Amino acid sequence: MVTNDMKLAEILNLSHDMVIDVRSPAEFALDHVPGAVNLPVLNNEERARVGTIYVQDSPFKARKLGAALVFRNAARHIEEQLSHLDGGWRPLVYCWRGGQRSGSFTWMLQQIGWRAEVLPGGYQSYRRQVCTALYEDKLPFRIFALDGYTGTAKTAILNAFADLGGQVLDLEALARHRGSLLGGCAEPQPSQKAFESAIIAQLMQFDPEKPVLVEAEASKIGARSLPPALWTALCAAPRIDVVVPVAARVKYLCATYDDILSDHPRLEDKLGVLRAHRSNAVVDNWLGLSLAGDKCALTQALVQEHYDPTYQKARDRHAHTPLAQISLGALEAADIEAAAQQLMAIVMAQG
């Protein structure tokens, strides 16, 4: 372990005026410190060009070209994005390892008079600490899991719980996926590393003395996996079940999933993968309801013939005795608000 690592809390809690990632846009897109601004001193093509010269021709030539490009791009950033900042500005700058790219840019900023600092160890140091927190350490939080069949408005209830002042880790929002076969969003999912960065940034904002509510998820949300420390904590968390009649769930799901229910080609592609599990006849019936535009009948069929059996099978594998149960007759705004208040009372009673 590198001993001069800046602590994760100091990086994420915005103790500097700005966190600047000077890596290429491609590196930044894969993952970055949450809240960081990308001011690349080498763009994607320039970085590839310098690397090729370094390996195939001469390290000296590569460094000479790299220096020219870095200072040229840094000067442009100072003239454009940073020109309005006063002399007391204090940024934190990082690159891949805290080396030449961040060092050169930081030196230029310091020569102007800004109180710029380099992140020791760069992105690698940050990523190492994220991995330690999410793969090796035990999470220092009391986690409660909100459980229930698909369509019980768990996400909406958690959002209402957050509005009451509760701490909520919304994994589906962070993963940009609604957590089911049809749960994909228009926006692509983040990379696994970026998903983990979003998780740790949210966790670092929480008070360890207060409970944290998480929706009971599978080990994967879309294509993103829950990191081991979080998955272990979620599996061990006390469960609070939300129970809602099928008719109310169907009504809620029709509204929530209207985007994909209205998109037959996309729906056909998604449901096609279930032929091996639910038979051709069952899937063909679903697609027939879709073609007929009967969204409610399709949703009810999906709930009773796919979602509920799948959920029950998973629940049987991981038997839990719920801590409490919240029963709702409908899922209107008032019902969701009442559920959030019940949820708050339940978790606060745990001390």
PDB file of all heavy atoms in Angstrom, residues 18-25 27-42 77 92-96 101-102 105 123 126:
ATOM      1  N   MET A  18     -11.869  22.563  -7.040  1.00  0.00           N
ATOM      2  CA  MET A  18     -12.182  21.794  -8.240  1.00  0.00           C
ATOM      3  C   MET A  18     -11.260  20.586  -8.286  1.00  0.00           C
ATOM      4  O   MET A  18     -10.098  20.668  -7.877  1.00  0.00           O
ATOM      5  CB  MET A  18     -11.998  22.651  -9.506  1.00  0.00           C
ATOM      6  CG  MET A  18     -12.343  21.929 -10.813  1.00  0.00           C
ATOM      7  SD  MET A  18     -11.997  22.965 -12.285  1.00  0.00           S
ATOM      8  CE  MET A  18     -13.267  24.220 -12.118  1.00  0.00           C
ATOM      9  N   VAL A  19     -11.785  19.462  -8.760  1.00  0.00           N
ATOM     10  CA  VAL A  19     -10.956  18.285  -9.036  1.00  0.00           C
ATOM     11  C   VAL A  19     -10.842  18.183 -10.549  1.00  0.00           C
ATOM     12  O   VAL A  19     -11.855  18.123 -11.259  1.00  0.00           O
ATOM     13  CB  VAL A  19     -11.562  17.005  -8.440  1.00  0.00           C
ATOM     14  CG1 VAL A  19     -10.689  15.793  -8.781  1.00  0.00           C
ATOM     15  CG2 VAL A  19     -11.729  17.130  -6.929  1.00  0.00           C
ATOM     16  N   ILE A  20      -9.611  18.205 -11.054  1.00  0.00           N
ATOM     17  CA  ILE A  20      -9.367  18.219 -12.499  1.00  0.00           C
ATOM     18  C   ILE A  20      -8.717  16.912 -12.926  1.00  0.00           C
ATOM     19  O   ILE A  20      -7.664  16.524 -12.411  1.00  0.00           O
ATOM     20  CB  ILE A  20      -8.457  19.400 -12.889  1.00  0.00           C
ATOM     21  CG1 ILE A  20      -9.101  20.726 -12.498  1.00  0.00           C
ATOM     22  CG2 ILE A  20      -8.156  19.372 -14.382  1.00  0.00           C
ATOM     23  CD1 ILE A  20      -8.211  21.933 -12.757  1.00  0.00           C
ATOM     24  N   ASP A  21      -9.349  16.245 -13.862  1.00  0.00           N
ATOM     25  CA  ASP A  21      -8.820  15.016 -14.462  1.00  0.00           C
ATOM     26  C   ASP A  21      -8.207  15.408 -15.802  1.00  0.00           C
ATOM     27  O   ASP A  21      -8.912  15.828 -16.714  1.00  0.00           O
ATOM     28  CB  ASP A  21      -9.969  14.023 -14.662  1.00  0.00           C
ATOM     29  CG  ASP A  21      -9.519  12.658 -15.159  1.00  0.00           C
ATOM     30  OD1 ASP A  21      -8.543  12.600 -15.928  1.00  0.00           O
ATOM     31  OD2 ASP A  21     -10.166  11.657 -14.798  1.00  0.00           O
ATOM     32  N   VAL A  22      -6.883  15.294 -15.906  1.00  0.00           N
ATOM     33  CA  VAL A  22      -6.213  15.701 -17.140  1.00  0.00           C
ATOM     34  C   VAL A  22      -5.979  14.531 -18.087  1.00  0.00           C
ATOM     35  O   VAL A  22      -5.306  14.674 -19.104  1.00  0.00           O
ATOM     36  CB  VAL A  22      -4.865  16.412 -16.838  1.00  0.00           C
ATOM     37  CG1 VAL A  22      -5.087  17.670 -16.023  1.00  0.00           C
ATOM     38  CG2 VAL A  22      -3.882  15.478 -16.140  1.00  0.00           C
ATOM     39  N   ARG A  23      -6.537  13.378 -17.775  1.00  0.00           N
ATOM     40  CA  ARG A  23      -6.408  12.236 -18.674  1.00  0.00           C
ATOM     41  C   ARG A  23      -7.228  12.460 -19.946  1.00  0.00           C
ATOM     42  O   ARG A  23      -8.023  13.390 -20.050  1.00  0.00           O
ATOM     43  CB  ARG A  23      -6.864  10.952 -17.974  1.00  0.00           C
ATOM     44  CG  ARG A  23      -6.029  10.569 -16.742  1.00  0.00           C
ATOM     45  CD  ARG A  23      -6.621   9.345 -16.050  1.00  0.00           C
ATOM     46  NE  ARG A  23      -8.024   9.578 -15.703  1.00  0.00           N
ATOM     47  CZ  ARG A  23      -8.915   8.603 -15.529  1.00  0.00           C
ATOM     48  NH1 ARG A  23      -8.563   7.343 -15.704  1.00  0.00           N
ATOM     49  NH2 ARG A  23     -10.164   8.906 -15.194  1.00  0.00           N
ATOM     50  N   SER A  24      -7.073  11.558 -20.888  1.00  0.00           N
ATOM     51  CA  SER A  24      -7.791  11.675 -22.164  1.00  0.00           C
ATOM     52  C   SER A  24      -9.285  11.481 -21.947  1.00  0.00           C
ATOM     53  O   SER A  24      -9.716  10.873 -20.958  1.00  0.00           O
ATOM     54  CB  SER A  24      -7.272  10.621 -23.146  1.00  0.00           C
ATOM     55  OG  SER A  24      -7.633   9.316 -22.696  1.00  0.00           O
ATOM     56  N   PRO A  25     -10.103  11.968 -22.877  1.00  0.00           N
ATOM     57  CA  PRO A  25     -11.550  11.774 -22.752  1.00  0.00           C
ATOM     58  C   PRO A  25     -11.959  10.309 -22.648  1.00  0.00           C
ATOM     59  O   PRO A  25     -12.919   9.980 -21.943  1.00  0.00           O
ATOM     60  CB  PRO A  25     -12.101  12.420 -24.024  1.00  0.00           C
ATOM     61  CG  PRO A  25     -11.095  13.477 -24.358  1.00  0.00           C
ATOM     62  CD  PRO A  25      -9.769  12.881 -23.986  1.00  0.00           C
ATOM     63  N   GLU A  27     -10.228   7.821 -21.248  1.00  0.00           N
ATOM     64  CA  GLU A  27      -9.938   7.387 -19.878  1.00  0.00           C
ATOM     65  C   GLU A  27     -10.978   7.944 -18.913  1.00  0.00           C
ATOM     66  O   GLU A  27     -11.452   7.246 -18.006  1.00  0.00           O
ATOM     67  CB  GLU A  27      -8.541   7.860 -19.466  1.00  0.00           C
ATOM     68  CG  GLU A  27      -7.395   7.218 -20.211  1.00  0.00           C
ATOM     69  CD  GLU A  27      -6.068   7.894 -19.876  1.00  0.00           C
ATOM     70  OE1 GLU A  27      -5.857   9.046 -20.313  1.00  0.00           O
ATOM     71  OE2 GLU A  27      -5.252   7.265 -19.175  1.00  0.00           O
ATOM     72  N   PHE A  28     -11.318   9.201 -19.105  1.00  0.00           N
ATOM     73  CA  PHE A  28     -12.296   9.856 -18.233  1.00  0.00           C
ATOM     74  C   PHE A  28     -13.664   9.189 -18.345  1.00  0.00           C
ATOM     75  O   PHE A  28     -14.366   9.001 -17.354  1.00  0.00           O
ATOM     76  CB  PHE A  28     -12.394  11.336 -18.613  1.00  0.00           C
ATOM     77  CG  PHE A  28     -13.310  12.152 -17.745  1.00  0.00           C
ATOM     78  CD1 PHE A  28     -12.876  12.667 -16.535  1.00  0.00           C
ATOM     79  CD2 PHE A  28     -14.614  12.420 -18.153  1.00  0.00           C
ATOM     80  CE1 PHE A  28     -13.722  13.433 -15.730  1.00  0.00           C
ATOM     81  CE2 PHE A  28     -15.462  13.189 -17.362  1.00  0.00           C
ATOM     82  CZ  PHE A  28     -15.011  13.690 -16.143  1.00  0.00           C
ATOM     83  N   ALA A  29     -14.060   8.812 -19.585  1.00  0.00           N
ATOM     84  CA  ALA A  29     -15.378   8.210 -19.804  1.00  0.00           C
ATOM     85  C   ALA A  29     -15.495   6.856 -19.118  1.00  0.00           C
ATOM     86  O   ALA A  29     -16.567   6.479 -18.644  1.00  0.00           O
ATOM     87  CB  ALA A  29     -15.648   8.074 -21.296  1.00  0.00           C
ATOM     88  N   LEU A  30     -14.411   6.111 -19.047  1.00  0.00           N
ATOM     89  CA  LEU A  30     -14.441   4.789 -18.413  1.00  0.00           C
ATOM     90  C   LEU A  30     -14.697   4.908 -16.919  1.00  0.00           C
ATOM     91  O   LEU A  30     -15.501   4.168 -16.355  1.00  0.00           O
ATOM     92  CB  LEU A  30     -13.127   4.057 -18.669  1.00  0.00           C
ATOM     93  CG  LEU A  30     -13.038   2.644 -18.098  1.00  0.00           C
ATOM     94  CD1 LEU A  30     -14.071   1.726 -18.743  1.00  0.00           C
ATOM     95  CD2 LEU A  30     -11.627   2.075 -18.300  1.00  0.00           C
ATOM     96  N   ASP A  31     -14.045   5.850 -16.275  1.00  0.00           N
ATOM     97  CA  ASP A  31     -14.258   6.114 -14.852  1.00  0.00           C
ATOM     98  C   ASP A  31     -13.453   7.340 -14.466  1.00  0.00           C
ATOM     99  O   ASP A  31     -12.425   7.641 -15.076  1.00  0.00           O
ATOM    100  CB  ASP A  31     -13.827   4.922 -13.990  1.00  0.00           C
ATOM    101  CG  ASP A  31     -14.144   5.133 -12.512  1.00  0.00           C
ATOM    102  OD1 ASP A  31     -15.180   5.773 -12.227  1.00  0.00           O
ATOM    103  OD2 ASP A  31     -13.371   4.656 -11.655  1.00  0.00           O
ATOM    104  N   HIS A  32     -13.920   8.032 -13.435  1.00  0.00           N
ATOM    105  CA  HIS A  32     -13.206   9.192 -12.920  1.00  0.00           C
ATOM    106  C   HIS A  32     -13.697   9.480 -11.512  1.00  0.00           C
ATOM    107  O   HIS A  32     -14.713   8.934 -11.067  1.00  0.00           O
ATOM    108  CB  HIS A  32     -13.410  10.418 -13.815  1.00  0.00           C
ATOM    109  CG  HIS A  32     -14.854  10.745 -14.058  1.00  0.00           C
ATOM    110  ND1 HIS A  32     -15.567  10.249 -15.133  1.00  0.00           N
ATOM    111  CD2 HIS A  32     -15.745  11.508 -13.352  1.00  0.00           C
ATOM    112  CE1 HIS A  32     -16.802  10.699 -15.089  1.00  0.00           C
ATOM    113  NE2 HIS A  32     -16.951  11.458 -14.005  1.00  0.00           N
ATOM    114  N   VAL A  33     -12.973  10.314 -10.822  1.00  0.00           N
ATOM    115  CA  VAL A  33     -13.402  10.741  -9.497  1.00  0.00           C
ATOM    116  C   VAL A  33     -14.725  11.491  -9.648  1.00  0.00           C
ATOM    117  O   VAL A  33     -14.823  12.416 -10.457  1.00  0.00           O
ATOM    118  CB  VAL A  33     -12.342  11.664  -8.856  1.00  0.00           C
ATOM    119  CG1 VAL A  33     -12.868  12.256  -7.546  1.00  0.00           C
ATOM    120  CG2 VAL A  33     -11.037  10.909  -8.621  1.00  0.00           C
ATOM    121  N   PRO A  34     -15.772  11.085  -8.926  1.00  0.00           N
ATOM    122  CA  PRO A  34     -17.065  11.771  -9.045  1.00  0.00           C
ATOM    123  C   PRO A  34     -16.931  13.276  -8.806  1.00  0.00           C
ATOM    124  O   PRO A  34     -16.291  13.710  -7.846  1.00  0.00           O
ATOM    125  CB  PRO A  34     -17.914  11.104  -7.955  1.00  0.00           C
ATOM    126  CG  PRO A  34     -17.341   9.736  -7.831  1.00  0.00           C
ATOM    127  CD  PRO A  34     -15.857   9.919  -8.026  1.00  0.00           C
ATOM    128  N   GLY A  35     -17.511  14.056  -9.702  1.00  0.00           N
ATOM    129  CA  GLY A  35     -17.434  15.507  -9.600  1.00  0.00           C
ATOM    130  C   GLY A  35     -16.258  16.126 -10.317  1.00  0.00           C
ATOM    131  O   GLY A  35     -16.173  17.357 -10.423  1.00  0.00           O
ATOM    132  N   ALA A  36     -15.334  15.282 -10.810  1.00  0.00           N
ATOM    133  CA  ALA A  36     -14.154  15.811 -11.497  1.00  0.00           C
ATOM    134  C   ALA A  36     -14.535  16.417 -12.842  1.00  0.00           C
ATOM    135  O   ALA A  36     -15.500  16.007 -13.491  1.00  0.00           O
ATOM    136  CB  ALA A  36     -13.118  14.716 -11.699  1.00  0.00           C
ATOM    137  N   VAL A  37     -13.744  17.401 -13.266  1.00  0.00           N
ATOM    138  CA  VAL A  37     -13.890  18.052 -14.572  1.00  0.00           C
ATOM    139  C   VAL A  37     -12.769  17.553 -15.468  1.00  0.00           C
ATOM    140  O   VAL A  37     -11.609  17.486 -15.049  1.00  0.00           O
ATOM    141  CB  VAL A  37     -13.817  19.588 -14.428  1.00  0.00           C
ATOM    142  CG1 VAL A  37     -13.825  20.253 -15.797  1.00  0.00           C
ATOM    143  CG2 VAL A  37     -14.965  20.096 -13.563  1.00  0.00           C
ATOM    144  N   ASN A  38     -13.090  17.182 -16.699  1.00  0.00           N
ATOM    145  CA  ASN A  38     -12.076  16.671 -17.617  1.00  0.00           C
ATOM    146  C   ASN A  38     -11.468  17.816 -18.425  1.00  0.00           C
ATOM    147  O   ASN A  38     -12.132  18.436 -19.253  1.00  0.00           O
ATOM    148  CB  ASN A  38     -12.713  15.648 -18.557  1.00  0.00           C
ATOM    149  CG  ASN A  38     -11.703  14.897 -19.412  1.00  0.00           C
ATOM    150  OD1 ASN A  38     -12.015  14.469 -20.521  1.00  0.00           O
ATOM    151  ND2 ASN A  38     -10.509  14.709 -18.909  1.00  0.00           N
ATOM    152  N   LEU A  39     -10.207  18.105 -18.151  1.00  0.00           N
ATOM    153  CA  LEU A  39      -9.427  19.063 -18.938  1.00  0.00           C
ATOM    154  C   LEU A  39      -8.207  18.306 -19.471  1.00  0.00           C
ATOM    155  O   LEU A  39      -7.107  18.387 -18.922  1.00  0.00           O
ATOM    156  CB  LEU A  39      -8.984  20.259 -18.082  1.00  0.00           C
ATOM    157  CG  LEU A  39     -10.088  21.122 -17.482  1.00  0.00           C
ATOM    158  CD1 LEU A  39      -9.475  22.262 -16.664  1.00  0.00           C
ATOM    159  CD2 LEU A  39     -10.997  21.687 -18.570  1.00  0.00           C
ATOM    160  N   PRO A  40      -8.380  17.521 -20.529  1.00  0.00           N
ATOM    161  CA  PRO A  40      -7.290  16.649 -21.001  1.00  0.00           C
ATOM    162  C   PRO A  40      -6.111  17.434 -21.542  1.00  0.00           C
ATOM    163  O   PRO A  40      -6.282  18.377 -22.315  1.00  0.00           O
ATOM    164  CB  PRO A  40      -7.959  15.827 -22.096  1.00  0.00           C
ATOM    165  CG  PRO A  40      -9.109  16.655 -22.558  1.00  0.00           C
ATOM    166  CD  PRO A  40      -9.593  17.402 -21.354  1.00  0.00           C
ATOM    167  N   VAL A  41      -4.923  17.025 -21.129  1.00  0.00           N
ATOM    168  CA  VAL A  41      -3.715  17.644 -21.686  1.00  0.00           C
ATOM    169  C   VAL A  41      -3.222  16.862 -22.898  1.00  0.00           C
ATOM    170  O   VAL A  41      -2.363  17.344 -23.635  1.00  0.00           O
ATOM    171  CB  VAL A  41      -2.598  17.760 -20.623  1.00  0.00           C
ATOM    172  CG1 VAL A  41      -2.989  18.762 -19.543  1.00  0.00           C
ATOM    173  CG2 VAL A  41      -2.255  16.416 -20.020  1.00  0.00           C
ATOM    174  N   LEU A  42      -3.776  15.666 -23.105  1.00  0.00           N
ATOM    175  CA  LEU A  42      -3.600  14.904 -24.344  1.00  0.00           C
ATOM    176  C   LEU A  42      -4.957  14.319 -24.698  1.00  0.00           C
ATOM    177  O   LEU A  42      -5.574  13.647 -23.864  1.00  0.00           O
ATOM    178  CB  LEU A  42      -2.587  13.766 -24.174  1.00  0.00           C
ATOM    179  CG  LEU A  42      -1.116  14.112 -23.932  1.00  0.00           C
ATOM    180  CD1 LEU A  42      -0.313  12.836 -23.680  1.00  0.00           C
ATOM    181  CD2 LEU A  42      -0.536  14.883 -25.116  1.00  0.00           C
ATOM    182  N   HIS A  77      -6.590  25.475 -21.993  1.00  0.00           N
ATOM    183  CA  HIS A  77      -7.525  25.354 -20.864  1.00  0.00           C
ATOM    184  C   HIS A  77      -7.462  26.592 -19.969  1.00  0.00           C
ATOM    185  O   HIS A  77      -8.489  27.085 -19.493  1.00  0.00           O
ATOM    186  CB  HIS A  77      -7.203  24.107 -20.040  1.00  0.00           C
ATOM    187  CG  HIS A  77      -7.421  22.816 -20.763  1.00  0.00           C
ATOM    188  ND1 HIS A  77      -8.511  22.590 -21.572  1.00  0.00           N
ATOM    189  CD2 HIS A  77      -6.675  21.668 -20.795  1.00  0.00           C
ATOM    190  CE1 HIS A  77      -8.438  21.359 -22.066  1.00  0.00           C
ATOM    191  NE2 HIS A  77      -7.333  20.790 -21.613  1.00  0.00           N
ATOM    192  N   LEU A  92      -7.367  20.373  -7.266  1.00  0.00           N
ATOM    193  CA  LEU A  92      -6.653  19.108  -7.129  1.00  0.00           C
ATOM    194  C   LEU A  92      -6.603  18.488  -8.517  1.00  0.00           C
ATOM    195  O   LEU A  92      -7.635  18.330  -9.177  1.00  0.00           O
ATOM    196  CB  LEU A  92      -7.388  18.177  -6.161  1.00  0.00           C
ATOM    197  CG  LEU A  92      -6.780  16.793  -5.951  1.00  0.00           C
ATOM    198  CD1 LEU A  92      -5.430  16.905  -5.234  1.00  0.00           C
ATOM    199  CD2 LEU A  92      -7.724  15.894  -5.153  1.00  0.00           C
ATOM    200  N   VAL A  93      -5.403  18.139  -8.965  1.00  0.00           N
ATOM    201  CA  VAL A  93      -5.193  17.670 -10.338  1.00  0.00           C
ATOM    202  C   VAL A  93      -4.702  16.224 -10.303  1.00  0.00           C
ATOM    203  O   VAL A  93      -3.858  15.867  -9.478  1.00  0.00           O
ATOM    204  CB  VAL A  93      -4.158  18.556 -11.063  1.00  0.00           C
ATOM    205  CG1 VAL A  93      -3.996  18.115 -12.520  1.00  0.00           C
ATOM    206  CG2 VAL A  93      -4.567  20.036 -10.991  1.00  0.00           C
ATOM    207  N   TYR A  94      -5.246  15.408 -11.206  1.00  0.00           N
ATOM    208  CA  TYR A  94      -4.734  14.036 -11.261  1.00  0.00           C
ATOM    209  C   TYR A  94      -4.695  13.531 -12.698  1.00  0.00           C
ATOM    210  O   TYR A  94      -5.426  14.000 -13.574  1.00  0.00           O
ATOM    211  CB  TYR A  94      -5.562  13.095 -10.383  1.00  0.00           C
ATOM    212  CG  TYR A  94      -6.951  12.760 -10.889  1.00  0.00           C
ATOM    213  CD1 TYR A  94      -7.166  11.656 -11.719  1.00  0.00           C
ATOM    214  CD2 TYR A  94      -8.054  13.531 -10.534  1.00  0.00           C
ATOM    215  CE1 TYR A  94      -8.437  11.337 -12.170  1.00  0.00           C
ATOM    216  CE2 TYR A  94      -9.326  13.219 -10.983  1.00  0.00           C
ATOM    217  CZ  TYR A  94      -9.517  12.118 -11.805  1.00  0.00           C
ATOM    218  OH  TYR A  94     -10.771  11.807 -12.249  1.00  0.00           O
ATOM    219  N   CYS A  95      -3.813  12.554 -12.916  1.00  0.00           N
ATOM    220  CA  CYS A  95      -3.775  11.807 -14.169  1.00  0.00           C
ATOM    221  C   CYS A  95      -3.803  10.324 -13.796  1.00  0.00           C
ATOM    222  O   CYS A  95      -4.392   9.949 -12.787  1.00  0.00           O
ATOM    223  CB  CYS A  95      -2.565  12.184 -15.019  1.00  0.00           C
ATOM    224  SG  CYS A  95      -0.951  11.916 -14.242  1.00  0.00           S
ATOM    225  N   TRP A  96      -3.182   9.472 -14.574  1.00  0.00           N
ATOM    226  CA  TRP A  96      -3.255   8.032 -14.315  1.00  0.00           C
ATOM    227  C   TRP A  96      -2.509   7.640 -13.042  1.00  0.00           C
ATOM    228  O   TRP A  96      -3.042   6.952 -12.168  1.00  0.00           O
ATOM    229  CB  TRP A  96      -2.717   7.271 -15.519  1.00  0.00           C
ATOM    230  CG  TRP A  96      -2.712   5.777 -15.347  1.00  0.00           C
ATOM    231  CD1 TRP A  96      -1.641   4.970 -15.230  1.00  0.00           C
ATOM    232  CD2 TRP A  96      -3.863   4.924 -15.273  1.00  0.00           C
ATOM    233  NE1 TRP A  96      -2.030   3.658 -15.084  1.00  0.00           N
ATOM    234  CE2 TRP A  96      -3.400   3.602 -15.109  1.00  0.00           C
ATOM    235  CE3 TRP A  96      -5.248   5.157 -15.317  1.00  0.00           C
ATOM    236  CZ2 TRP A  96      -4.258   2.502 -14.996  1.00  0.00           C
ATOM    237  CZ3 TRP A  96      -6.100   4.058 -15.206  1.00  0.00           C
ATOM    238  CH2 TRP A  96      -5.610   2.768 -15.048  1.00  0.00           C
ATOM    239  N   ARG A 101       1.707  14.077 -16.731  1.00  0.00           N
ATOM    240  CA  ARG A 101       0.588  14.898 -17.227  1.00  0.00           C
ATOM    241  C   ARG A 101       0.033  15.805 -16.133  1.00  0.00           C
ATOM    242  O   ARG A 101      -0.114  17.015 -16.346  1.00  0.00           O
ATOM    243  CB  ARG A 101      -0.514  13.993 -17.795  1.00  0.00           C
ATOM    244  CG  ARG A 101      -0.176  13.384 -19.134  1.00  0.00           C
ATOM    245  CD  ARG A 101      -1.342  12.569 -19.691  1.00  0.00           C
ATOM    246  NE  ARG A 101      -1.565  11.325 -18.961  1.00  0.00           N
ATOM    247  CZ  ARG A 101      -2.557  10.469 -19.210  1.00  0.00           C
ATOM    248  NH1 ARG A 101      -3.431  10.741 -20.171  1.00  0.00           N
ATOM    249  NH2 ARG A 101      -2.683   9.349 -18.526  1.00  0.00           N
ATOM    250  N   SER A 102      -0.268  15.244 -14.973  1.00  0.00           N
ATOM    251  CA  SER A 102      -0.795  16.077 -13.890  1.00  0.00           C
ATOM    252  C   SER A 102       0.288  16.975 -13.313  1.00  0.00           C
ATOM    253  O   SER A 102       0.024  18.135 -12.948  1.00  0.00           O
ATOM    254  CB  SER A 102      -1.396  15.208 -12.789  1.00  0.00           C
ATOM    255  OG  SER A 102      -0.442  14.312 -12.267  1.00  0.00           O
ATOM    256  N   PHE A 105       0.765  20.050 -15.682  1.00  0.00           N
ATOM    257  CA  PHE A 105      -0.352  20.984 -15.628  1.00  0.00           C
ATOM    258  C   PHE A 105      -0.367  21.715 -14.286  1.00  0.00           C
ATOM    259  O   PHE A 105      -0.597  22.934 -14.221  1.00  0.00           O
ATOM    260  CB  PHE A 105      -1.657  20.219 -15.857  1.00  0.00           C
ATOM    261  CG  PHE A 105      -2.851  21.110 -16.071  1.00  0.00           C
ATOM    262  CD1 PHE A 105      -2.813  22.172 -16.950  1.00  0.00           C
ATOM    263  CD2 PHE A 105      -4.049  20.867 -15.402  1.00  0.00           C
ATOM    264  CE1 PHE A 105      -3.917  22.980 -17.160  1.00  0.00           C
ATOM    265  CE2 PHE A 105      -5.162  21.673 -15.603  1.00  0.00           C
ATOM    266  CZ  PHE A 105      -5.099  22.726 -16.485  1.00  0.00           C
ATOM    267  N   TYR A 123      -5.153   8.591 -10.439  1.00  0.00           N
ATOM    268  CA  TYR A 123      -6.368   7.787 -10.485  1.00  0.00           C
ATOM    269  C   TYR A 123      -6.134   6.410  -9.881  1.00  0.00           C
ATOM    270  O   TYR A 123      -7.032   5.849  -9.231  1.00  0.00           O
ATOM    271  CB  TYR A 123      -6.859   7.647 -11.931  1.00  0.00           C
ATOM    272  CG  TYR A 123      -7.968   6.629 -12.086  1.00  0.00           C
ATOM    273  CD1 TYR A 123      -9.282   6.960 -11.781  1.00  0.00           C
ATOM    274  CD2 TYR A 123      -7.683   5.327 -12.503  1.00  0.00           C
ATOM    275  CE1 TYR A 123     -10.300   6.021 -11.889  1.00  0.00           C
ATOM    276  CE2 TYR A 123      -8.695   4.382 -12.617  1.00  0.00           C
ATOM    277  CZ  TYR A 123      -9.997   4.732 -12.305  1.00  0.00           C
ATOM    278  OH  TYR A 123     -10.996   3.791 -12.406  1.00  0.00           O
ATOM    279  N   TYR A 126      -6.730   6.508  -6.208  1.00  0.00           N
ATOM    280  CA  TYR A 126      -8.166   6.618  -5.945  1.00  0.00           C
ATOM    281  C   TYR A 126      -8.855   5.282  -6.159  1.00  0.00           C
ATOM    282  O   TYR A 126      -9.619   4.801  -5.303  1.00  0.00           O
ATOM    283  CB  TYR A 126      -8.775   7.685  -6.860  1.00  0.00           C
ATOM    284  CG  TYR A 126     -10.265   7.548  -7.042  1.00  0.00           C
ATOM    285  CD1 TYR A 126     -11.146   7.928  -6.026  1.00  0.00           C
ATOM    286  CD2 TYR A 126     -10.796   7.000  -8.220  1.00  0.00           C
ATOM    287  CE1 TYR A 126     -12.516   7.776  -6.185  1.00  0.00           C
ATOM    288  CE2 TYR A 126     -12.154   6.849  -8.376  1.00  0.00           C
ATOM    289  CZ  TYR A 126     -13.010   7.234  -7.354  1.00  0.00           C
ATOM    290  OH  TYR A 126     -14.366   7.066  -7.506  1.00  0.00           O
TER     291      TYR A 126
END
